Amino acid sequence: MANKRKTSRKRSAAPAVGPFQASPDLERAVRLVMQLMAIEGPSGREGRVVQFVTRQLLRAGGDAAAIRTDNAHRRTQPPGETGNLVFRLPGTRRAPRRMLMAHL
C-alpha cells in the first residue's frame, strides 16, 4: 500500500476582482453614508432613499434587471410609498444562499 501524504497549501488572499478593492475606501464610505443620511425618508416615505440606493447600485455596476422593489408597502398600515428594495446577485459557487439585509 502506498503511503498517501497530505500536502498543506497556503491559501492566498483572493485578488481584487472588478470594482472591488483589497481594502475599503473609508473616505468614500463616509461620503456615501453622509449623503444617505441627508435624504429625508421617514417611515412610510422612503422613496427618495430607494432611488438613491438604486442609483448607487447601478453606478457600482449592478444590473438594472437585478434591482426591484416588492409590494410589502401595500400591506402595512398606513401604506407606504415604496416596497422593499431587492438586489439579487447570482452566486459564484454551489453553496447555501446568503442574504444581506438593511433598514432604509
Side-chain angles (χ1 to χ4, degrees):
M1 254 175 105
N3 237 352
K4 290 188 178 181
R5 291 177 43 194
K6 285 187 177 181
T7 58
S8 64
R9 293 183 184 179
K10 264 189 163 179
R11 287 190 172 189
S12 61
V17 177
F20 302 106
Q21 299 177 339
S23 61
D25 182 344
L26 297 179
E27 287 181 20
R28 182 169 181 253
V30 169
R31 279 195 312 273
L32 280 172
V33 168
M34 296 304 288
Q35 289 174 330
L36 185 59
M37 289 180 4
I39 301 169
E40 187 175 341
S43 193
R45 295 195 344 236
E46 298 96 343
R48 290 177 54 208
V49 176
V50 168
Q51 290 172 356
F52 176 81
V53 173
T54 298
R55 280 194 309 272
Q56 296 306 312
L57 290 170
L58 293 171
R59 285 182 185 152
D63 181 1
I67 303 170
R68 67 177 181 85
T69 54
D70 65 14
N71 63 2
H73 64 296
R74 295 183 187 146
R75 297 187 301 270
T76 60
Q77 290 301 319
E81 67 183 13
T82 187
N84 296 301
L85 178 62
V86 178
F87 179 48
R88 187 176 205 145
L89 294 171
T92 57
R93 61 181 78 139
R94 280 189 84 83
R97 292 182 180 178
R98 306 279 191 259
M99 182 172 88
L100 172 65
M101 185 169 71
H103 181 71
L104 294 176

